[in-house]
Amino acid sequence: MNKKILVVEDDPATLRLVDYTLRHEGYQVLTASNGLEGIRKAHNEAPDLIILDVMLPGMDGFEICHSLRSEPDTAQLPILMFSAKAQEIDKDTGLKVGADDYLAKPADPSEIVSRVGKLLAQKKQSAPAREKVNG
Amino acid sequence: MGNQMPEIKDKTIKVLLIEDNPDDSELIRRKLVRSGNSQFTVTPVKRLKEGLEYLARDGADLIVSDLGLPDSHGLDTVTRLLCQAPYTPLVVLSGFDDEAIAIKAVQLGAQDYLVKGQIESTQMERSLFYAIERSWLQKEVDQHTQELWKIQANLYKILEKNADAIIVASKDRQTLFINPASESLFRRKKKELLNKKFDFPLKGGKTSEIEITHSSGEKTVAEMRVVDISWEGKPAYLISLRDITERKTAEKRIKKAAEEWRTTFDSINDWVSIHDRDFKFTRVNKSLSNAFNKTPGEIIGKYCCQLIHGRETPLPDCPHLKALKTKKPEKGEFRLCNPDIYAEVSVSPILDDEGEFIGSVHITKDITERRQAESALQESEEKFSKAFRSSPTMIAITTLKEGKFIEVNDSFTCATGYAREEVIEHNSIELGIWAKAEDRARMLQILKEHGIVDSEEFEFRTKSGEIRTWLFSGEIINIGSEPCIISTTVDITERKRAEEKLRESEERYRDLFENANDLIQSCTADGHFIFVNKAWREALGYSDEEIANLTIRDTVHPDLIEHCEEIIQRVISGETIRNVQTVFRAKNGRTIQVEGNVNGLSKEGKVVATRAIFRDITERKQAEEALRESEAKYSALVEKSKDGIIIIQDGVLKFVSPISLELVGYRPEELVGTYFMKMITPENQKKVAKRYADRMAGKKVTNLYEISLIKKNGTTVPVELNATLINYEGRPADLILIRDITERKLAEEKLRESEERYRDLFENANDLIQSVAPDGHFIFVNKAWRQALGYSEKEVANLTLWDIIHPDSIPHCKELFQRVLSGETSNIETVFVAKDGRPIHVEGNANNWSKDGKIVATRGIFRDITERKQAEEALRESEKKYRAIFEQAEDSIVVIDQETGVLVDFNTKAHENLGYSREEFAKLKMADIDAFETTEEFRRHAKNIQKEGIEWFESKHRTKSGEMRDVHVSNKSLNIKGKIFGFAVWHDITERKRAEEKLRQIDQMKQEFLSNVSHELRTPLQSISGFVKLILRGEVPDPETQQEFLQIINRESQYLGNLINDLLDMSRLESGRFEIKKQLLPIRDIITDVIKSFHSLARDKAVALSEDIPTKLPEIEADGDRMRQVIMNLLSNAVKFSDPGGSVTVKVESQNGELLFQVTDQGIGIPEEAMPHLFERFYQAEDKLARGGAGLGLYISKQIIEAHGGSIWAESQAGKGSTFSFTLPLNGKGEDTHE
């Protein structure tokens, strides 16, 4: 079963690149061009992972991330922040608000793939552990 | 008078005969000429006029005149003749019928009258002679009367000029005469004094003192002398009064000082004595006189050594002698014989102004006890010594061989005058103690023969060289191995001398007796002469043989025999009678007035004879008699006057009043006829001579002056002269009253000395002392004053107070001066000006000085406080300087009471900056201003500052209106007089803070911008590099997809290029290198071209793009590329911020000479707070909307439009969309094309 990945990105060119690259790797890709759409799809489509841009019209990526983390069904959802905001402080902010990883633009498409792969693998491993904790 | 008659008879008598009847005239003439006894020369005239003329021309000895004359009749004739020749005797002729008129004529002044027809030769002659005689008598009487008047006038002058007050009062004490001096003494007008009752007790003859109380309450003491006189024929009192107030006051003061001094002097237990240069006592205290059981009077005048040491010469180590040489205080210790004590004498020399020794003060302490204590100590060790030393006989131990003194006792040293150390170890022969050197050999011979010398008489020489006779006893003793003589000696000189004196005195007496000028006699009780001396024999003219048979009865004046016998009886009964006056009768009957003493000569307690010593006072008696007579002619006034009165004419004393005896020791008769100048001391002669000459010449000279007169005994006496010019014996003379002013002078001298002492004190005071007369002139100033102001004494004399007071201080000082003159004592601080112009600040006080109730001067004592003032001034200057700095400082400065936080002082900035007035601010505490501090915190804070010294911090202050201001404060604590003050300096840093805030914001904007730029660059790079990598790796096999990706790459590259251009534009704008290249453009084409380029984008975004542009638009002058850039930017924004389905409308129109371009979208709109910042660089309306905008587009567009002379703005409604508009000016050409 192909993993479902939600890409929230307002730049059409970047969206096209990520969409093409992930599909090429065999992932099922959902896209959203703003925050509201992204959150809605994150809840409704139950993606396995979200690639989240930061600089978005309306809600920015940090807010989306925070919002997703505060909802039980998306709290554990692996989130890869993918942003042209490449400073350390941005990365720190991202991780602080709940992102699992942070990838600065411009990035090699293979790197995107690699990060996504890693996060998905982590999810597999950490999920039972978290259940344990919960239990 | 009797003896004048012959003269008349011998002389030719000139007779003036006035008779109109020629027969009568001839008859009388003949009778007169025929007169046997006298020769009358008769000049007959017929008329009175002729007679008067003759009298005036030739004069006459006698006038015989008829009463009835052609030109005069009756008594008129008499009157006119008497007027013409008052002293010429007048005999009138009358007829039978007018004898009554003749008698009247005699009453008028005619000497006699003759009745015509009854004239006999002899009767007439007698009558005429009597007339002449009577007339002369009359003349003499008149002259005497005149003389009397003159004397009376002089006496009156004396009374008037007398410096003493002289009052004549009747026996019932009514005042009859007052002289001017009385007016000043009683301080009343003559009117008030005359005919009043004289209230003071009148003790005739005695001098008494009275006290006059004036209306002012002041008192005058006067010395009063009352004498009985006859005043205008009635008995009266002559009262002379002399003002002795000053003398009394001076006396009292001197007496008090003397009393104090004497009390001190006498209460000293030590003997204190004052000696003159010759060691004589001039003053001793009680202790001293008591010690010698003598009265001070008995001691004064004696020599110190006589009294104290019983010697004629001073001791060799006499401290007085030493002090005489050294002129320094000296000390000495002595043993005295009587009283028997040890004394320590300290002598302080008294030096005169030249440093010459004029006497000394001796203070003698009885140190017997001390000495005794010393000797008691020795006693235990040397009993012998004590016996030896204290022996009243002189004991000496000498070596047998050489006569060297081994020891002597005090009696020895006392008697010889040698100090012990002067004799010990010295040879007695060498010292010359043996008066005759061979005596010692004689003594040794006796000693050798008898083994002892017992009371042998030898003569010895004391140190002073005096030869004394001693009874010498001696024997040999051995001291150690040396044979010595121990000798005891007793001085028998006095005994010897007494014997000698007795013998001499007898001889002297006999000699004296024989050669005495006095008459000496000795008589038995029955009056027989035992002896008389030579003078007696000579005076009475008896020989020795004759005297043997005489008794006193023969030699005394018969009238006085009884008196003499009485005296003899009294003397025999043991009385001594002094001043016996009697009269001797010489052998030749001459009387000799004698005066003397009579006493008895007793034998075995019984008076057996009288002895009398008389002095011949005959001459004196005569002189006295003469004196009495001469004095008798002066009135009691002159006699009793205490002033000497002299009259000088031509420099010669014409009259001298008796008082002169008292004054100068001369009897008046000794002086009359001598030159007054001789009595005047040489230094006064010139002065007196000049005054005398001037006075005689009629010049006005001072009447009253002081000189010194030489007394008979050669000493001088200070006197006060009061000279008046009088007429004496028809010529000008000087009447001088002389007053002895010795006492006054003494009192003055004492006063002067006391004044000098004060003057000295005053001169040497450090304070400036001045005395100023009410007119402002200086009466005196002291040395310190002159030094401080730099004036010499001479210069000061010409200064007034206003010359030395600083001009600024004069008004104030004038007021003060008046106040001081009115009696206030004032503290003064003022400024003097020294001669060199230097101001001298002084501080002091002044009071006034009055005399006789009148203010005569002010006195001021000042201290120079210039330095203090300068210091104050410097301080004030410094304070002013700091105050100015303080006030003008840009910073706020406050001084805070660290305890309470009260603002003690602050500058203008401090209160103005916080919007308070000075008054309001003064009421505030630090906590009212500081936003963070309460008073408690402030105190804690203050303590901390106190520890650290100074503290800097930032704080916020609240202004009056409540606005908060940022301040930077530095606070330092200072301890001023034990109180801690905080000095806070702060400046307002609100503006800096704001600028900093703005900078910080700009910084943040830059940061955000960079972050944005980075983001905007990375975004297209991501897609470009991503697609390129995919393609390169062959992961995009599909050619169509490949094509799509390449187009994206192309587009993104372009975007990237635009972005970079924007950044460059901004950079250019920033650096001012932004260029506009204007040229005429078809603006419509440009707008439509740009819109076309957005169609695809709008389609992609599902945004409807519509346009409303006039078909014809004028060409405008603009930079085409730039215009395109602006339009693209606005369109791009509009599309970018439009939601899908929205629309963007471009509207262009030309109006009012402008081209208006508008882009309207229906997007989310712009928040109101963002509106003012839209066109600022780096500003992005909202991050969320930032889509490829780096916040530069609108900024650049604005710059471009404004560079074209247009304007750009935005309007927006949140949620409904925005409209961005710009205008461009249309030029003339453009409008033309519009046509």
Side-chain angles (χ1 to χ4, degrees):
Chain A
M1 186 184 104
N2 285 341
K3 295 285 183 193
K4 205 193 279 178
I5 292 168
L6 173 64
V7 182
V8 184
E9 174 64 75
D10 68 332
D11 179 47
T14 309
L15 187 61
R16 181 78 183 98
L17 176 72
V18 177
D19 177 69
Y20 183 89
T21 306
L22 290 178
R23 280 178 199 278
H24 190 263
E25 288 298 322
Y27 293 106
Q28 191 182 339
V29 179
L30 296 168
T31 64
S33 63
N34 61 54
L36 287 171
E37 190 187 354
I39 289 168
R40 198 177 61 240
K41 285 186 174 167
H43 289 296
N44 296 343
E45 306 289 336
D48 292 301
L49 186 142
I50 294 182
I51 293 175
L52 191 58
D53 186 13
V54 173
M55 303 302 281
L56 292 165
M59 265 177 138
D60 74 5
F62 299 134
E63 284 172 306
I64 297 163
C65 182
H66 184 76
S67 167
L68 290 173
R69 285 293 178 240
S70 51
E71 294 292 327
D73 55 336
T74 52
Q76 305 296 328
L77 188 66
I79 297 171
L80 170 63
M81 285 212 155
F82 183 48
S83 173
K85 291 184 83 70
Q87 289 166 304
E88 275 304 305
I89 186 162
D90 301 320
K91 188 177 174 183
D92 288 349
T93 310
L95 295 176
K96 218 176 264 174
V97 296
D100 293 294
D101 201 355
Y102 194 100
L103 183 62
K105 291 180 187 171
D108 194 316
S110 60
E111 186 63 27
I112 301 169
V113 173
S114 153
R115 295 286 180 101
V116 168
K118 264 184 197 164
L119 280 178
L120 287 171
Q122 269 174 12
K123 189 197 169 186
K124 267 181 191 163
Q125 283 169 3
S126 64
R130 195 173 283 140
E131 275 164 18
K132 243 184 201 170
V133 173
N134 289 347
Chain B
M1 300 291 146
N3 57 350
Q4 285 178 337
M5 282 304 281
E7 277 176 41
I8 299 175
K9 284 182 177 158
D10 296 337
K11 186 179 149 198
T12 305
I13 296 165
K14 280 164 73 184
V15 178
L16 172 66
L17 177 61
I18 313 172
E19 173 59 74
D20 55 341
N21 186 326
D23 293 338
D24 285 349
S25 174
E26 182 59 21
L27 183 69
I28 290 163
R29 197 186 65 79
R30 278 191 191 166
K31 276 185 180 172
L32 283 173
V33 172
R34 253 192 286 130
S35 167
N37 291 329
S38 178
Q39 291 159 306
F40 287 98
T41 59
V42 180
T43 311
V45 295
K46 283 181 180 164
R47 287 163 185 273
L48 180 62
K49 195 184 166 210
E50 288 165 40
L52 292 175
E53 279 168 0
Y54 178 82
L55 282 172
R57 192 173 60 239
D58 300 308
D61 293 320
L62 180 66
I63 307 164
V64 178
S65 177
D66 193 358
L67 288 175
L69 293 170
D71 55 346
S72 177
H73 201 78
L75 291 177
D76 266 3
T77 316
V78 179
T79 313
R80 288 170 71 184
L81 280 167
L82 286 174
C83 279
Q84 177 72 40
Y87 294 114
T88 310
L90 170 68
V91 174
V92 295
L93 298 167
S94 71
F96 289 116
D97 49 351
D98 55 8
E99 204 173 349
I101 293 173
I103 289 164
K104 274 185 187 166
V106 171
Q107 281 166 353
L108 261 179
Q111 303 304 335
D112 206 348
Y113 71 92
L114 296 169
V115 180
K116 286 181 192 170
Q118 291 180 352
I119 303 168
E120 267 186 66
S121 243
T122 47
Q123 188 214 344
M124 186 172 76
E125 191 184 320
R126 199 165 56 243
S127 167
L128 295 184
F129 275 126
Y130 280 133
I132 292 167
E133 209 173 297
R134 264 204 303 277
S135 163
W136 282 1
L137 270 170
Q138 182 68 45
K139 190 177 170 187
E140 208 169 334
V141 167
D142 282 359
Q143 272 172 354
H144 282 292
T145 312
Q146 225 170 332
E147 193 78 21
L148 269 171
W149 273 109
K150 215 158 78 185
I151 288 170
Q152 198 177 346
N154 282 347
L155 292 178
Y156 201 82
K157 244 179 223 169
I158 290 165
L159 277 178
E160 282 286 333
K161 298 283 175 182
N162 207 309
D164 282 352
I166 291 178
I167 294 167
V168 176
S170 64
K171 281 291 173 182
D172 57 355
R173 292 165 172 255
Q174 212 63 22
T175 52
L176 302 171
F177 170 84
I178 300 289
N179 77 339
S182 307
E183 290 180 70
S184 56
L185 180 72
F186 284 92
R187 300 192 193 162
R188 285 196 183 158
K189 293 275 173 234
K190 198 168 183 169
K191 285 190 281 184
E192 298 173 273
L193 291 167
L194 259 182
N195 301 319
K196 293 280 152 44
K197 192 112 182 161
F198 189 78
D199 279 330
F200 296 100
L202 299 171
K203 292 182 210 160
K206 271 196 172 178
T207 304
S208 59
E209 278 178 22
I210 59 160
E211 205 174 56
I212 300 159
T213 310
H214 302 291
S215 54
S216 64
E218 283 181 79
K219 285 181 177 171
T220 302
V221 182
E223 198 177 67
M224 177 165 78
R225 181 174 282 199
V226 182
V227 174
D228 285 325
I229 56 154
S230 170
W231 183 268
E232 291 167 353
K234 281 180 196 163
Y237 294 114
L238 174 88
I239 303 150
S240 70
L241 293 157
R242 175 169 298 181
D243 187 341
I244 53 163
T245 314
E246 264 183 42
R247 198 179 79 201
K248 277 274 155 185
T249 324
E251 273 172 8
K252 248 186 236 169
R253 201 161 50 226
I254 290 161
K255 208 168 140 193
K256 197 183 158 206
E259 199 55 51
E260 281 170 4
W261 185 78
R262 172 148 289 282
T263 312
T264 316
F265 191 71
D266 276 335
S267 61
I268 297 171
N269 286 327
D270 295 334
W271 304 349
V272 183
S273 53
I274 300 175
H275 298 258
D276 65 12
R277 194 177 191 282
D278 302 316
F279 308 84
K280 273 185 194 156
F281 285 98
T282 57
R283 221 161 190 157
V284 295
N285 73 343
K286 267 200 184 126
S287 306
L288 179 62
S289 56
N290 289 347
F292 288 89
N293 277 324
K294 284 183 166 51
T295 62
E298 288 172 297
I299 297 172
I300 286 164
K302 282 207 174 155
Y303 288 99
C304 170
C305 50
Q306 271 179 337
L307 182 78
I308 306 281
H309 309 296
R311 295 162 50 99
E312 291 303 316
T313 51
L315 288 173
D317 53 347
C318 174
H320 184 106
L321 261 183
K322 284 196 241 166
L324 193 61
K325 268 183 229 155
T326 60
K327 292 176 181 174
K328 284 191 176 117
E330 295 289 347
K331 269 195 178 178
E333 280 189 18
F334 300 98
R335 167 149 184 223
L336 308 183
C337 303
N338 179 28
D340 190 359
I341 59 159
Y342 284 95
E344 186 191 59
V345 186
S346 55
V347 174
S348 312
I350 304 169
L351 304 177
D352 66 7
D353 293 346
E354 274 82 45
E356 283 305 313
F357 190 100
I358 54 165
S360 63
V361 178
H362 293 196
I363 298 174
T364 313
K365 269 200 183 90
D366 183 344
I367 54 158
T368 313
E369 275 181 22
R370 194 170 89 196
R371 272 292 182 105
Q372 278 167 354
E374 283 166 8
S375 55
L377 193 71
Q378 287 169 354
E379 195 182 11
S380 60
E381 298 170 70
E382 259 186 75
K383 281 199 171 156
F384 160 72
S385 176
K386 187 197 173 189
F388 172 80
R389 289 197 180 282
S390 58
S391 169
T393 37
M394 298 175 255
I395 307 173
I397 301 166
T398 50
T399 57
L400 184 61
K401 224 168 35 186
E402 304 137 310
K404 200 163 75 185
F405 282 99
I406 300 205
E407 189 58 272
V408 294
N409 73 347
D410 293 327
S411 298
F412 183 92
T413 54
C414 205
T416 58
Y418 282 102
R420 188 176 164 276
E421 55 273 16
E422 286 180 288
V423 291
I424 299 298
E425 291 299 314
H426 287 86
N427 189 315
S428 62
I429 300 290
E430 277 167 23
L431 285 169
I433 284 177
W434 293 91
K436 298 169 191 151
E438 64 271 22
D439 275 357
R440 186 165 192 269
R442 190 155 67 84
M443 183 270 291
L444 290 175
Q445 187 61 37
I446 296 166
L447 198 62
K448 204 174 162 193
E449 280 172 22
H450 303 279
I452 189 165
V453 180
D454 190 10
S455 302
E456 285 292 329
E457 245 182 63
F458 291 108
E459 279 186 344
F460 290 91
R461 190 184 286 112
T462 63
K463 193 187 178 186
S464 59
E466 195 185 345
I467 305 294
R468 300 189 73 91
T469 311
W470 290 354
L471 273 185
F472 182 93
S473 301
E475 57 182 291
I476 295 174
I477 57 159
N478 278 319
I479 290 180
S481 55
E482 178 103 12
C484 293
I485 303 168
I486 177 159
S487 65
T488 56
T489 32
V490 177
D491 192 338
I492 54 162
T493 316
E494 298 305 335
R495 204 173 76 200
K496 279 267 180 187
R497 271 190 198 160
E499 287 166 8
E500 185 66 28
K501 264 190 184 151
L502 196 65
R503 198 175 48 74
E504 274 174 14
S505 124
E506 249 175 83
E507 269 172 27
R508 257 205 310 272
Y509 176 71
R510 203 174 302 129
D511 194 45
L512 203 73
F513 167 73
E514 265 307 321
N515 296 314
N517 291 323
D518 289 342
L519 316 184
I520 303 173
Q521 64 177 42
S522 182
C523 297
T524 58
D526 58 8
H528 279 93
F529 286 100
I530 299 166
F531 63 73
V532 296
N533 73 344
K534 199 165 104 193
W536 194 99
R537 287 192 301 273
E538 281 171 7
L540 278 87
Y542 289 106
S543 71
D544 273 348
E545 294 78 11
E546 289 169 315
I547 289 162
N549 299 317
L550 291 172
T551 70
I552 281 187
R553 283 163 201 85
D554 302 308
T555 60
V556 171
H557 194 278
D559 297 346
L560 295 163
I561 289 173
E562 257 182 52
H563 175 240
C564 271
E565 275 173 350
E566 189 202 325
I567 285 169
I568 292 168
Q569 285 315 309
R570 278 167 64 192
V571 170
I572 295 294
S573 66
E575 222 178 306
T576 296
I577 306 172
R578 298 190 179 278
N579 300 323
V580 173
Q581 283 199 11
T582 189
V583 182
F584 283 177
R585 197 171 55 182
K587 193 181 171 185
N588 63 4
R590 187 172 65 92
T591 56
I592 304 162
Q593 289 188 315
V594 293
E595 183 190 58
N597 302 335
V598 186
N599 61 358
L601 287 174
S602 50
K603 205 170 182 183
E604 291 158 5
K606 206 182 143 199
V607 178
V608 293
T610 64
R611 191 188 57 193
I613 304 172
F614 287 111
R615 180 167 292 130
D616 185 342
I617 56 164
T618 312
E619 273 179 25
R620 198 183 86 198
K621 277 282 167 183
Q622 282 165 357
E624 278 174 7
E625 194 54 41
L627 188 71
R628 233 191 322 278
E629 276 167 22
S630 87
E631 275 178 355
K633 67 180 173 188
Y634 307 115
S635 81
L637 304 180
V638 178
E639 252 179 89
K640 301 292 167 63
S641 170
K642 289 187 81 180
D643 291 339
I645 299 168
I646 56 171
I647 295 173
I648 306 164
Q649 199 164 47
D650 305 326
V652 173
L653 287 158
K654 288 281 181 183
F655 169 79
V656 179
S657 76
I659 196 83
S660 61
L661 185 67
E662 232 172 82
L663 266 175
V664 290
Y666 289 103
R667 289 199 301 280
E669 58 269 29
E670 288 179 287
L671 293 172
V672 169
T674 63
Y675 282 95
F676 180 51
M677 210 49 91
K678 278 187 187 165
M679 285 175 70
I680 296 167
T681 53
E683 65 270 22
N684 291 134
Q685 283 178 2
K686 223 173 161 183
K687 178 165 86 180
V688 176
K690 187 167 190 311
R691 295 237 166 102
Y692 178 74
D694 286 351
R695 186 171 298 108
M696 285 299 156
K699 284 189 198 162
K700 215 176 171 184
V701 287
T702 173
N703 281 337
L704 213 61
Y705 58 101
E706 288 178 11
I707 61 163
S708 286
L709 293 181
I710 307 168
K711 288 171 87 161
K712 193 174 184 182
N713 63 10
T715 59
T716 60
V717 54
V719 294
E720 184 183 85
L721 298 188
N722 186 348
T724 325
L725 186 66
I726 59 162
N727 199 358
Y728 187 77
E729 290 168 351
R731 292 200 299 116
D734 215 357
L735 172 77
I736 301 176
L737 304 185
I738 304 175
R739 171 166 303 177
D740 184 343
I741 54 167
T742 312
E743 276 180 54
R744 197 171 85 196
K745 278 279 165 187
L746 279 175
E748 276 173 12
E749 180 65 15
K750 294 262 183 193
L751 267 176
R752 196 184 54 73
E753 274 171 21
S754 138
E755 199 211 70
E756 247 169 40
R757 255 200 317 276
Y758 283 112
R759 191 170 182 80
D760 193 45
L761 209 69
F762 143 84
E763 266 299 306
N764 294 315
N766 288 325
D767 288 346
L768 316 188
I769 305 176
Q770 62 179 40
S771 178
V772 181
D775 68 356
H777 275 93
F778 287 101
I779 295 169
F780 60 73
V781 300
N782 71 342
K783 201 161 82 192
W785 191 100
R786 292 191 300 274
Q787 280 172 356
L789 279 88
Y791 286 108
S792 73
E793 264 180 276
K794 256 187 202 167
E795 289 168 323
V796 172
N798 297 321
L799 287 176
T800 72
L801 184 58
W802 315 116
D803 295 324
I804 61 113
I805 287 182
H806 195 277
D808 298 345
S809 302
I810 283 179
H812 174 60
C813 282
K814 281 209 164 152
E815 188 200 319
L816 277 178
F817 189 65
Q818 285 313 317
R819 274 166 48 192
V820 170
L821 280 178
S822 71
E824 267 181 64
T825 296
S826 193
N827 287 319
I828 296 168
E829 194 179 322
T830 186
V831 186
F832 285 174
V833 183
K835 193 182 173 187
D836 56 16
R838 178 169 44 85
I840 300 168
H841 292 265
V842 294
E843 177 189 83
N845 57 61
N847 58 4
N848 67 48
W849 180 31
S850 60
K851 201 174 169 185
D852 301 334
K854 206 178 131 195
I855 286 156
V856 294
T858 66
R859 264 188 306 218
I861 300 178
F862 299 100
R863 181 156 292 145
D864 186 341
I865 54 162
T866 309
E867 279 178 32
R868 197 180 82 198
K869 275 279 161 183
Q870 280 169 348
E872 279 175 10
E873 186 61 26
L875 195 68
R876 219 180 348 261
E877 278 297 313
S878 160
E879 209 265 350
K880 214 162 119 192
K881 197 164 71 195
Y882 286 115
R883 168 64 58 179
I885 294 169
F886 176 74
E887 277 302 339
Q888 285 162 22
E890 279 303 311
D891 291 340
S892 302
I893 306 173
V894 296
V895 181
I896 309 149
D897 183 330
Q898 293 289 67
E899 187 56 32
T900 59
V902 167
L903 302 168
V904 180
D905 199 0
F906 45 84
N907 64 354
T908 314
K909 272 275 170 344
H911 66 86
E912 277 182 356
N913 279 356
L914 290 172
Y916 289 102
S917 71
R918 184 162 271 279
E919 291 71 29
E920 289 169 336
F921 202 62
K923 290 175 192 150
L924 297 181
K925 289 183 178 184
M926 205 51 212
D928 298 326
I929 303 164
D930 200 285
F932 301 137
E933 267 184 286
T934 63
T935 304
E936 281 311 307
E937 279 166 5
F938 175 76
R939 271 187 205 149
R940 213 165 40 241
H941 192 57
K943 265 188 192 146
N944 194 34
I945 294 167
Q946 225 172 304
K947 263 187 235 159
E948 305 293 324
I950 188 157
E951 201 178 58
W952 290 272
F953 54 89
E954 279 184 12
S955 186
K956 275 185 191 296
H957 285 176
R958 193 181 291 111
T959 66
K960 190 184 176 187
S961 61
E963 188 193 339
M964 283 301 176
R965 305 291 296 183
D966 289 293
V967 287
H968 180 265
V969 184
S970 81
N971 197 352
K972 187 172 165 47
S973 84
L974 274 179
N975 186 330
I976 296 173
K977 291 179 183 166
K979 207 165 175 188
I980 309 296
F981 291 95
F983 286 80
V985 180
W986 67 68
H987 56 267
D988 192 315
I989 54 166
T990 310
E991 296 309 321
R992 196 181 83 196
K993 278 271 175 185
R994 277 183 195 161
E996 275 174 10
E997 181 59 23
K998 199 155 193 181
L999 264 177
R1000 200 189 51 74
Q1001 283 173 355
I1002 288 169
D1003 235 36
Q1004 201 184 339
M1005 278 164 76
K1006 247 182 192 162
Q1007 196 64 41
E1008 280 171 13
F1009 168 72
L1010 277 175
S1011 171
N1012 240 331
V1013 166
S1014 156
H1015 179 265
E1016 291 306 313
L1017 289 171
R1018 282 169 195 274
T1019 304
L1021 261 177
Q1022 176 59 59
S1023 44
I1024 293 165
S1025 70
F1027 284 121
V1028 167
K1029 282 207 172 87
L1030 286 177
I1031 292 165
L1032 282 174
R1033 285 187 203 135
E1035 285 175 25
V1036 190
D1038 178 33
E1040 243 179 72
T1041 309
Q1042 215 174 51
Q1043 189 62 39
E1044 181 205 339
F1045 287 175
L1046 286 171
Q1047 270 172 1
I1048 290 171
I1049 289 167
N1050 183 43
R1051 200 172 63 232
E1052 290 301 313
S1053 299
Q1054 267 179 6
Y1055 172 75
L1056 207 53
N1058 288 341
L1059 184 62
I1060 288 164
N1061 281 340
D1062 277 355
L1063 286 172
L1064 285 173
D1065 283 346
M1066 191 208 72
S1067 175
R1068 277 190 206 106
L1069 280 168
E1070 291 283 281
S1071 60
R1073 285 185 285 111
F1074 187 72
E1075 284 175 36
I1076 299 288
K1077 295 174 197 142
K1078 281 190 190 172
Q1079 60 183 97
L1080 275 177
L1081 291 175
I1083 190 68
R1084 194 180 191 280
D1085 294 350
I1086 290 172
I1087 295 168
T1088 50
D1089 277 358
V1090 177
I1091 292 171
K1092 272 178 196 159
S1093 72
F1094 273 88
H1095 277 304
S1096 62
L1097 185 63
R1099 238 188 344 267
D1100 288 351
K1101 254 204 122 173
V1103 170
L1105 190 59
S1106 61
E1107 50 180 74
D1108 175 13
I1109 302 167
T1111 47
K1112 265 193 178 173
L1113 276 176
E1115 286 187 334
I1116 59 166
E1117 206 169 301
D1119 185 327
D1121 289 340
R1122 293 299 176 198
M1123 288 318 299
R1124 226 173 261 121
Q1125 190 179 349
V1126 173
I1127 297 161
M1128 277 173 75
N1129 177 260
L1130 294 179
L1131 271 173
S1132 135
N1133 280 345
V1135 173
K1136 200 194 289 178
F1137 295 112
S1138 290
D1139 293 325
S1143 71
V1144 170
T1145 311
V1146 176
K1147 189 181 172 193
V1148 177
E1149 59 181 309
S1150 160
Q1151 56 167 39
N1152 303 329
E1154 277 179 340
L1155 179 83
L1156 174 67
F1157 178 92
Q1158 288 184 310
V1159 180
T1160 306
D1161 65 56
Q1162 292 170 327
I1164 51 171
I1166 305 160
E1168 206 173 322
E1169 65 270 16
M1171 287 302 286
H1173 307 291
L1174 281 177
F1175 295 94
E1176 287 176 13
R1177 68 177 183 172
F1178 305 129
Y1179 189 83
Q1180 287 177 312
E1182 213 174 320
D1183 287 351
K1184 292 176 230 172
L1185 303 178
R1187 186 80 189 104
L1192 285 172
L1194 286 175
Y1195 172 74
I1196 293 165
S1197 298
K1198 186 169 187 265
Q1199 302 304 317
I1200 292 167
I1201 294 301
E1202 284 175 359
H1204 281 86
S1207 58
I1208 185 164
W1209 69 95
E1211 296 150 282
S1212 178
Q1213 254 187 312
K1216 290 203 171 164
S1218 313
T1219 301
F1220 280 81
S1221 315
F1222 70 79
T1223 57
L1224 282 176
L1226 291 171
N1227 53 22
K1229 248 185 189 169
E1231 275 173 75
D1232 286 344
T1233 47
H1234 191 247
E1235 294 294 322

